[in-house]
Amino acid sequence: MGEFQVHRVRFFAYVPAGIRCLAHSPRSARLALARTDGALEVYNFAANYFQEKGIPGHETRTTEALCWAAGDRLFGAGLGGDISEYDLEKLRVKYSLDGFGGPIWSMAADPSGTQLAVGCEDGSVKLFQVLPDKIQFERSLDRQKGRIMSLSWHPSGTHIAVGSIDLLRVFDVKSGHAIQRILVDRRPQGLYSRECVVWSVAFLSDGTIVSSDSVGKVQFWDSEKGTLLETHPVSSSAVLCLAVSEEEDSIVVGTSEGAVYQFQLLPVKWGSAESKWVRTKPFQHHTHDVRAVAHSATALISGGLDAQLVIRPLMERVHGKGYDAALRKFTFPHRRLVSCARKARLLLFQFPQHLELWRLGATNSAGKDGDILPVSRAPEHLLQLKSKGPEHICCSCISLCGSWIAYSTASRLHLHRVHLENGSVSVKRVSKVPKLLCSAHQLLCSADSTSLFVASDQGAVHVLKLLEPGGCGHLQTLRPNSGSAQAVYLLAASADGDWLAAAGGDWEINVYSLRHFKPHCTVPAYNCAVTALAIHPVTNNLVITHSDQQVFEFSIPDREYTTWSRKVQQHGLHKGWLERDTPITHITFNPKQPAHILLHDTHMFCILDKSLPLPDDATPLMNQTALKQLSEKARRGYAHAFKICKKYQPLLFVDLLEEGSLVVVERPLMDIKTQLPPPVQQKKFGT
């Protein structure tokens, strides 16, 4: 595998925002997720749950509800009182419309996807018509007393069930009148009883209303008679959310204690036509409130204030052992938040509203494998660069020499010139950035720090010339031959400055010639999302990883896949490699070892040695710690191309500095949990 001096970095104090709501689209097999900071993420189930799209947060945007409508259109609403539609091609808010009812607590689309119902603070349920290019207010249902906390359409689209404080109501959509009023149970507390908040409701096709409330109950009601059918005490605190499967035979609920429960509709006895709802499976994968749940065809999905997205497979619905049969936990975004100035030994950390620049520490000592070396110079926090305004930072980069820092929000690109002299740091903002560059989705500096590549939301890449002592000018705009308008989210430049590769939201990879500023070729299409790409500094081969864990090598000069890449596809990658649960997010190379490719995901980093044979499925895909425990003779028997290290977890970034040392950025989950608010106090056995 080779020996490296490793800089183990744990001072990136990144805390992901909690998950506020989820929306699952069975038609497109996608999951939309909104966080407490207003950020939006879209996961593609067909692409191994890869986070294929992301819209940065906003300080004034609080999303309380998400829903899919009219096919693949995504809408959100929140306490600001606006309804927004998201542009999933350009990765931004397309437009916002006032709901005219104060803060919006709930929203749902009718079964046909042509109407939106929103529940407002003023007690009204408002209907909006979904038109081809916008939404339009249609009418309000009868206004009631108390805010509308939750609502659900009947599958026929003729009725809406709403939950508020202490009450359930059923509305007739055609007349707009409430035809049923149900008083939910209160829990007595001494001489007084506290109010019961109906946090979530679901309207089943047989007329049953399912409710979850703040007193910890899941209840089933007859919507026609207004009577209680079943009560299931679930938690000593609140049941905050619920979701129903498409077949309406399974329900998932989430509680403020971090627990997730499944209810199943099962026959009373074998062969009986009579069925009853039974609580069957409890799961405890969260430490804090579970604020949102979703139910896909094969899994229960949950997210909460601990920022974890948990995908728990339903084994009775999964056929065979594979990617869908494993428990998945996603805490960190599937994109880079760290940039490295390899020549200057600097790290740039991206937070929602500021950047931090750090200088790596140094040591004068040497040692053997596994030794912890004393630090002669401690890591140094050089600079904090704050972003003005409510918009969050969506991307950032630093040049290899450390002299330029660029970042972008949803509306503006910012460029700064950094001077490092005798230990002192000064920074100067470049005021005159070309006007056509309003925002960017990915930024990258050239290897010689003379150019800045800006990926736009129109499918194009702008090339800026970085000028001394501190300025820039627009050099060229590169556009794909296909005319794709999908936002570009990945960039890779060659070390010699001749080539640039760009991957867009449609998974198309375009290679541009930087000598002639025109398209050079397009990589053959592949049916999975691109997770990382990089150009080899010696061979100019483009290495690509996809969400199904496949690795390709494409020769840019020859415009074809390399011989090694074809051999990989003929032989096939190891089963253990293909069943990994997180995507490769970064690729780099060791110029001293041209046959080595360095890749990493959240749980491991790997050196892929092209000079060694590929392992077959019978060969254990062992990490280096396990190999060290074997004898030298046994170790030679396991020699293959994959050299895996799982010592550092969770990994946010791995890169190779110019002098050959390795920098590894970790973010332990316990460090994140210590910065979260305390969870609900629970009684532990034996305490």
Side-chain angles (χ1 to χ4, degrees):
M1 186 171 185
E3 287 191 1
F4 298 98
Q5 190 179 91
V6 179
H7 297 268
R8 192 172 188 176
V9 174
R10 288 192 170 189
F11 43 79
F12 181 24
Y14 172 71
V15 180
I19 296 171
R20 183 61 194 89
C21 49
L22 301 172
H24 175 238
S25 171
R27 172 178 167 176
S28 62
R30 282 174 168 80
L31 178 78
L33 175 156
R35 296 191 178 269
T36 53
D37 63 355
L40 179 87
E41 300 165 7
V42 177
Y43 292 80
N44 189 338
F45 287 9
N48 287 349
Y49 304 103
F50 177 61
Q51 182 191 321
E52 64 175 2
K53 299 180 188 295
I55 297 176
H58 195 284
E59 287 299 294
T60 63
R61 188 168 66 228
T62 56
T63 306
E64 287 289 320
L66 286 174
C67 70
W68 298 89
D72 298 334
R73 294 171 65 181
L74 182 62
F75 296 89
L79 300 184
D82 292 336
I83 305 169
S84 302
E85 181 175 0
Y86 297 98
D87 190 329
L88 298 181
E89 284 192 1
K90 298 181 179 179
L91 302 182
R92 62 187 182 190
V93 175
K94 193 173 183 179
Y95 61 85
S96 294
L97 183 69
D98 194 340
F100 303 108
I104 296 173
W105 291 92
S106 53
M107 178 174 62
D110 73 334
S112 65
T114 58
Q115 276 185 315
L116 295 180
V118 296
C120 303
E121 175 78 16
D122 66 356
S124 64
V125 175
K126 299 183 184 298
L127 301 182
F128 289 81
Q129 188 177 4
V130 181
L131 302 177
D133 58 347
K134 61 178 181 179
I135 59 172
Q136 181 175 291
F137 175 73
E138 190 173 336
R139 59 194 171 95
S140 291
L141 306 186
D142 285 353
R143 184 174 171 180
Q144 308 294 318
K145 185 179 179 181
R147 64 173 67 111
I148 306 299
M149 302 301 302
S150 54
L151 57 82
S152 176
W153 288 80
H154 188 270
S156 65
T158 57
H159 295 83
I160 297 176
V162 304
S164 55
I165 297 173
D166 296 330
L167 288 171
L168 282 171
R169 291 185 178 90
V170 180
F171 285 90
D172 183 283
V173 175
K174 186 175 181 180
S175 67
H177 301 315
I179 59 173
Q180 189 62 264
R181 181 179 181 272
I182 303 171
L183 184 67
V184 298
D185 292 336
R186 291 187 175 192
R187 173 190 291 180
Q189 288 190 333
L191 298 176
Y192 303 96
S193 60
R194 65 177 182 180
E195 63 184 18
C196 176
V197 181
V198 181
W199 285 114
S200 188
V201 294
F203 211 156
L204 306 185
S205 55
D206 64 356
T208 301
I209 299 174
V210 190
S211 68
S212 66
D213 54 45
S214 59
V215 298
K217 295 179 182 178
V218 175
Q219 297 180 307
F220 296 80
W221 307 85
D222 186 320
S223 64
E224 186 177 345
K225 298 177 181 178
T227 55
L228 179 64
L229 301 176
E230 296 180 41
T231 297
H232 296 266
V234 171
S235 171
S236 58
S237 53
V239 182
L240 298 173
C241 49
L242 67 84
V244 184
S245 66
E246 277 196 286
E247 297 81 7
E248 296 186 354
D249 59 355
S250 175
I251 294 174
V252 56
V253 301
T255 73
S256 59
E257 296 173 336
V260 174
Y261 298 93
Q262 184 188 10
F263 288 81
Q264 290 179 277
L265 187 61
L266 301 175
V268 175
K269 59 182 179 180
W270 183 260
S272 172
E274 184 184 355
S275 298
K276 188 176 181 180
W277 287 99
V278 180
R279 189 175 75 183
T280 55
K281 298 173 185 174
F283 306 109
Q284 186 78 44
H285 299 303
H286 298 274
T287 58
H288 289 66
D289 295 11
V290 178
R291 301 300 298 270
V293 291
H295 202 311
S296 73
T298 58
L300 308 179
I301 306 159
S302 58
L305 293 185
D306 59 1
Q308 283 199 118
L309 176 65
V310 178
I311 301 172
R312 181 66 168 82
L314 296 171
M315 301 308 295
E316 68 272 15
R317 302 192 183 194
V318 177
H319 302 290
K321 185 180 178 182
Y323 196 92
D324 289 335
L327 173 69
R328 307 295 173 197
K329 293 183 179 181
F330 299 122
T331 305
F332 303 102
H334 295 166
R335 58 188 175 88
R336 286 197 293 128
L337 298 173
V338 182
S339 301
C340 180
R342 300 191 194 107
K343 296 178 182 178
R345 297 166 55 88
L346 302 175
L347 290 177
L348 183 71
F349 298 142
Q350 178 183 317
F351 294 86
Q353 287 201 291
H354 73 274
L355 304 174
E356 287 185 2
L357 184 64
W358 287 74
R359 178 188 281 128
L360 290 170
T363 182
N364 297 324
S365 305
K368 61 181 185 295
D369 185 23
D371 285 353
I372 299 175
L373 304 179
V375 175
S376 60
R377 189 186 73 234
E380 185 180 359
H381 184 195
L382 300 176
L383 179 68
Q384 185 181 88
L385 204 58
K386 293 185 178 180
S387 173
K388 294 182 180 179
E391 295 178 335
H392 288 187
I393 298 171
C394 58
C395 59
S396 60
C397 76
I398 185 171
S399 62
L400 294 185
C401 64
S403 298
W404 298 92
I405 292 177
Y407 72 92
S408 179
T409 62
S411 63
R412 189 176 179 186
L413 173 68
H414 301 261
L415 181 63
H416 292 79
R417 181 73 163 93
V418 181
H419 295 276
L420 296 168
E421 292 181 4
N422 302 323
S424 63
V425 184
S426 63
V427 61
K428 180 183 178 182
R429 183 173 66 89
V430 178
S431 57
K432 295 183 179 179
V433 177
K435 291 184 179 180
L436 75 155
L437 304 176
C438 57
S439 66
H441 290 286
Q442 187 65 273
L443 296 167
L444 180 68
C445 283
S446 61
D448 59 2
S449 302
T450 61
S451 299
L452 175 67
F453 306 110
V454 181
S456 78
D457 58 6
Q458 305 284 345
V461 180
H462 302 290
V463 184
L464 297 188
K465 187 72 174 177
L466 301 178
L467 306 171
E468 296 292 348
C472 70
H474 182 253
L475 195 60
Q476 193 64 252
T477 297
L478 305 172
R479 302 185 186 278
N481 287 329
S482 63
S484 171
Q486 292 270 359
V488 174
Y489 69 96
L490 284 176
L491 293 173
S494 63
D496 58 12
D498 288 346
W499 309 106
L500 178 71
D506 54 1
W507 308 343
E508 180 181 88
I509 303 174
N510 292 285
V511 180
Y512 300 97
S513 169
L514 296 178
R515 285 188 178 182
H516 305 100
F517 293 109
K518 66 178 184 179
H520 173 70
C521 65
T522 301
V523 178
Y526 189 68
N527 62 349
C528 263
V530 182
T531 65
L533 46 84
I535 299 176
H536 197 287
V538 178
T539 62
N540 275 343
N541 290 336
L542 177 64
V543 178
I544 310 160
T545 57
H546 292 271
S547 60
D548 61 353
Q549 313 297 355
Q550 292 290 342
V551 181
F552 293 89
E553 186 181 48
F554 182 81
S555 173
I556 293 176
D558 297 335
R559 297 187 174 110
E560 63 179 9
Y561 288 118
T562 64
T563 303
W564 178 83
S565 184
R566 297 179 190 276
K567 187 192 303 182
V568 169
Q569 296 308 307
Q570 291 171 1
H571 182 278
L573 292 172
H574 194 280
K575 180 178 68 173
W577 176 267
L578 297 176
E579 290 179 355
R580 290 173 16 259
D581 60 351
T582 54
I584 297 295
T585 54
H586 184 53
I587 304 170
T588 190
F589 305 96
N590 186 356
K592 297 178 182 178
Q593 298 285 346
H596 288 185
I597 304 172
L598 280 72
L599 319 95
H600 84 85
D601 63 13
T602 307
H603 304 299
M604 65 91 207
F605 79 86
C606 170
I607 295 180
L608 184 53
D609 191 342
K610 297 194 300 179
S611 64
L612 293 177
L614 294 167
D616 53 29
D617 288 345
T619 304
L621 198 64
M622 303 177 74
N623 68 62
Q624 297 306 299
T625 304
L627 280 176
K628 287 177 184 177
Q629 299 173 1
L630 303 177
S631 65
E632 186 68 29
K633 183 178 179 181
R635 204 180 303 170
R636 284 197 296 269
Y638 291 113
H640 54 71
F642 290 90
K643 312 298 180 185
I644 294 173
C645 176
K646 295 185 177 181
K647 182 177 181 179
Y648 311 103
Q649 292 187 19
L651 279 174
L652 293 187
F653 184 74
V654 175
D655 207 352
L656 198 64
L657 302 180
E658 279 211 338
E659 75 270 17
S661 60
L662 202 66
V663 56
V664 172
V665 180
E666 296 175 282
R667 186 58 176 148
L669 294 179
M670 283 307 299
D671 291 355
I672 295 175
K673 290 177 182 178
T674 57
Q675 298 188 44
L676 296 176
V680 173
Q681 186 68 32
Q682 299 182 49
K683 174 67 177 175
K684 301 288 185 180
F685 177 76
T687 60

